[in-house]
Amino acid sequence: DANDKSIKDLIMLMFETAMLTSGFNLDEPTTHANRIHRMIKLGLNIDEDADDALSTTEEKKVGGDDEDMPPLEDSAENADDAMEEVD
């Protein structure tokens, strides 16, 4: 049941947050971050299937958003302008 998983995530988040505020380190901080992301998705009513579909659509793009980007300037022409000295 999805609600059972969210309740477990909430309890674990409370426990891990208490550990962090007490000065302890987490063994798996990535797991803690993933729990936070799941709880945010739950709060915003973001469907995980829709999120997966979006990520696979993004992966299928060839070239990504680079098509909209202007061409890079040649750094040799602007070598003097590369860094300005700030007082």
Side-chain angles (χ1 to χ4, degrees), residues 28-77:
E28 298 178 19
T30 305
T31 304
H32 181 72
N34 288 336
R35 281 192 185 102
I36 292 172
H37 292 157
R38 280 195 302 269
M39 295 305 290
I40 291 172
K41 285 180 182 181
L42 180 67
L44 295 175
N45 293 326
I46 297 174
D47 186 18
E48 288 189 23
D49 295 333
D51 191 35
D52 291 341
L54 179 63
S55 65
T56 55
T57 303
E58 290 294 323
E59 290 173 1
K60 289 180 182 177
K61 279 187 174 180
V62 177
D65 293 331
D66 292 342
E67 297 169 358
D68 297 337
M69 298 294 293
L72 294 175
E73 295 178 5
D74 187 16
S75 61
E77 292 176 5

